[in-house]
Amino acid sequence: KAQLWMMKIDGSEETLLTQSSDHDEIDAKWSPDGKWIAFASNEGLDSQKRQNFDIWLMTVDGNKRFQLTTNGSRDDSPAWDRTGRSIFFRSNRGGVWNIWKLDLGISEMKTNN
């Protein structure tokens, strides 16, 4: 299964951020402030108990994770806006691929609990 890794620019200090043999984690994107990683994961289940990709958010150390979308469609390819307050993502909701925008309450989310 696809997982998310972090390393220094020279390729040293490889660190596995996610570990699962049950689901894939793809399309990781750093937040503009460097504190968060948005990504797509098929960890969640749709209403028919099937795995499907949704947008997730985690701290850069991988310790805290938040599922942002729960739609039964495929949500992937997250991209931060320049302020870090919104994430754009691709979704096939309604049977047609479009770009969606999700406004975040990042200022309320704590990274040091």
Side-chain angles (χ1 to χ4, degrees):
K1 296 291 181 175
Q3 299 301 304
L4 302 181
W5 291 78
M6 182 171 56
M7 66 182 170
K8 288 191 173 190
I9 197 162
D10 65 3
S12 66
E13 297 186 32
E14 295 174 349
T15 304
L16 181 60
L17 297 177
T18 60
Q19 294 182 7
S20 175
S21 59
D22 298 330
H23 54 271
D24 291 303
E25 320 229 84
I26 60 172
D27 298 341
K29 301 293 184 308
W30 289 90
S31 64
D33 66 5
K35 295 181 179 179
W36 299 94
I37 300 171
F39 62 100
S41 174
N42 65 352
E43 178 178 352
L45 301 176
D46 67 13
S47 61
Q48 295 162 349
K49 305 293 184 209
R50 295 177 303 203
Q51 285 182 312
N52 74 298
F53 280 92
D54 287 302
I55 304 301
W56 290 67
L57 193 64
M58 74 175 167
T59 53
V60 296
D61 60 8
N63 287 331
K64 293 186 182 182
R65 298 166 52 103
F66 305 93
Q67 186 172 355
L68 300 180
T69 64
T70 56
N71 193 283
S73 60
R74 181 180 175 116
D75 299 340
D76 61 17
S77 303
W80 293 86
D81 77 338
R82 62 182 170 81
T83 68
R85 293 188 200 132
S86 299
I87 293 177
F88 294 90
F89 62 96
R90 185 179 81 138
S91 180
N92 64 352
R93 296 170 189 210
V96 178
W97 288 102
N98 281 300
I99 303 298
W100 291 71
K101 179 183 178 186
L102 178 64
D103 292 322
L104 303 173
I106 292 285
S107 61
E108 292 84 28
M109 300 173 85
K110 306 281 187 223
T111 60
N112 57 357
N113 282 344

